[in-house]
Amino acid sequence: MILWLASYPKSGNTYLRALLAAYFFTKDGNFDFDKLKFIKFFPHINLFKNLGIDITDENEVLKNYIKAQEMINKKYKNYKKSILFVKTHSTLQSVNGNQFTNLDNTLGAIYIVRDPRNVITSYSNHYETSIEQSANDMLTNTYLKGMLDYNSFQNHVLTHLGTWADNYNSWKHFKKFNKYLLIKYEDMVSKPDIIFHDVLKFIAKISNTNLNIDKKKMENSINTTTFENLKKMEEKDGFIEAIKRKDNKNITFFKRGSNRDWKKLLNDQIKNKIEKSFNNEMKELGYL
């Protein structure tokens, strides 16, 4: 069954995936980028190609979200790991009357959230947009070009984000089924041992398994996935998920991390606009 790792872009999803990949897909907890391949992406172009869907027809792709997830669950039904970690930036809201997922295909959801004022600056760097455009994207029902086809680095399907607030609020749907865990990026950075322990306990609970936490493996997972270590790994070997610039050079994925400070990068107009638009959510999360 699918365990969604959901977030708005540039909110710490990759950090959580690295921790999980290190813990669940290595013998000793020592991370390397290659282990991220065990955590799938949705919506990914190849899923729809395998279903014979016309990937240029957005409505056909949306109509087949559930069917694609059924295929994932069926394919990995007898996989040695019963939990299928799947990353998404999609809103959980229906689009054109089409559900994103359902309880038949979902084990649960871990939602990673980050102060939207810092998301703006990271989003701006990652997608090569201005701070103003990045703020506008977060305030509107925007979309991304889905996950890249790793063979061509060109083909894509659309990923509907919704607004930053809509994306965050939509995934609370799973709270009423006790299938939801919220974690803050800032807490992952400041107290990774506590947060990752909570994540592992949540996984054990929703999967109804006796997960005996390996403390040494957990420690190695945390130590080898620090921002500084991931940055060094990218500098040495590159990172396949990095987006290419207009000059065809990769945009550095692990650039500033928790050192990205909105107070130094946002003007008052944008700051006030974000705080006003997302006031309820930011207060709820303790960002205001």
Side-chain angles (χ1 to χ4, degrees), residues 24-269:
F24 285 97
F25 302 108
T26 70
K27 292 182 179 180
D28 52 14
N30 290 319
F31 175 75
D32 64 76
F33 282 143
D34 184 61
K35 298 301 181 291
L36 286 176
K37 69 184 179 185
F38 292 107
I39 298 180
K40 308 303 178 183
F41 301 85
F42 193 90
H44 192 287
I45 187 173
N46 289 340
L47 290 170
F48 301 95
K49 280 184 175 180
N50 291 340
L51 285 170
I53 305 302
D54 179 2
I55 59 171
T56 65
D57 188 331
E58 181 186 357
N59 282 326
E60 282 302 304
V61 171
L62 288 168
K63 287 177 184 177
N64 285 279
Y65 269 12
I66 301 296
K67 190 173 182 180
Q69 292 165 29
E70 289 172 347
M71 182 177 70
I72 295 173
N73 278 317
K74 183 178 180 180
K75 180 179 180 180
Y76 293 98
K77 184 177 181 181
N78 298 316
Y79 186 55
K80 64 180 180 178
K81 303 290 185 183
S82 60
I83 304 167
L84 302 175
F85 299 110
V86 180
K87 168 193 172 177
T88 189
H89 288 315
S90 290
T91 175
L92 195 62
Q93 296 167 305
S94 295
V95 179
N96 297 339
N98 300 293
Q99 283 183 291
F100 173 76
T101 190
N102 57 24
L103 289 173
D104 291 335
N105 287 288
T106 297
L107 181 66
I110 300 175
Y111 192 86
I112 311 102
V113 70
R114 185 183 188 184
D115 188 325
R117 294 166 297 191
N118 278 330
V119 171
I120 289 176
T121 59
S122 185
Y123 186 102
S124 174
N125 171 73
H126 188 68
Y127 295 109
E128 286 194 299
T129 63
S130 66
I131 293 289
E132 292 75 15
Q133 182 59 53
S134 298
N136 184 64
D137 285 351
M138 293 178 67
L139 290 162
T140 57
N141 288 303
T142 191
Y143 58 84
L144 291 179
K145 289 183 176 180
M147 286 311 305
L148 294 171
D149 180 330
Y150 286 169
N151 294 319
S152 69
F153 286 93
Q154 294 177 352
N155 296 324
H156 63 266
V157 291
L158 295 180
T159 300
H160 289 265
L161 304 179
T163 69
W164 177 87
D166 287 343
N167 194 294
Y168 162 64
N169 286 319
S170 69
W171 284 91
K172 294 178 187 176
H173 170 73
F174 288 112
K175 285 180 72 173
K176 59 186 175 184
F177 305 106
N178 295 316
K179 293 176 175 288
Y180 176 83
L181 177 67
L182 173 69
I183 57 177
K184 293 167 68 174
Y185 169 78
E186 295 80 7
D187 291 339
M188 278 202 296
V189 172
S190 64
K191 46 185 180 183
D193 53 338
I194 295 174
I195 299 303
F196 194 41
H197 189 266
D198 288 345
V199 167
L200 295 177
K201 286 195 299 181
F202 173 74
I203 292 171
K205 183 187 76 172
I206 62 171
S207 61
N208 196 28
T209 58
N210 293 317
L211 181 63
N212 295 316
I213 297 175
D214 185 328
K215 292 184 178 180
K216 181 60 179 176
K217 194 174 186 182
M218 186 178 115
E219 181 181 332
N220 287 344
S221 298
I222 291 170
N223 290 338
T224 58
T225 56
T226 62
F227 180 83
E228 291 74 18
N229 194 52
L230 295 175
K231 185 180 175 93
K232 288 178 182 177
M233 291 172 67
E234 181 181 17
E235 290 172 349
K236 180 176 181 290
D237 301 316
F239 184 42
I240 196 170
E241 295 179 27
I243 290 177
K244 290 190 178 295
R245 306 177 67 99
K246 294 171 184 177
D247 60 8
N248 211 37
K249 293 182 180 179
N250 283 351
I251 298 173
T252 302
F253 191 94
F254 301 100
K255 189 172 183 179
R256 294 185 183 176
S258 59
N259 292 325
R260 188 171 293 280
D261 188 355
W262 62 267
K263 296 176 184 177
K264 299 176 182 178
L265 300 169
L266 295 187
N267 61 43
D268 286 342
Q269 182 180 2

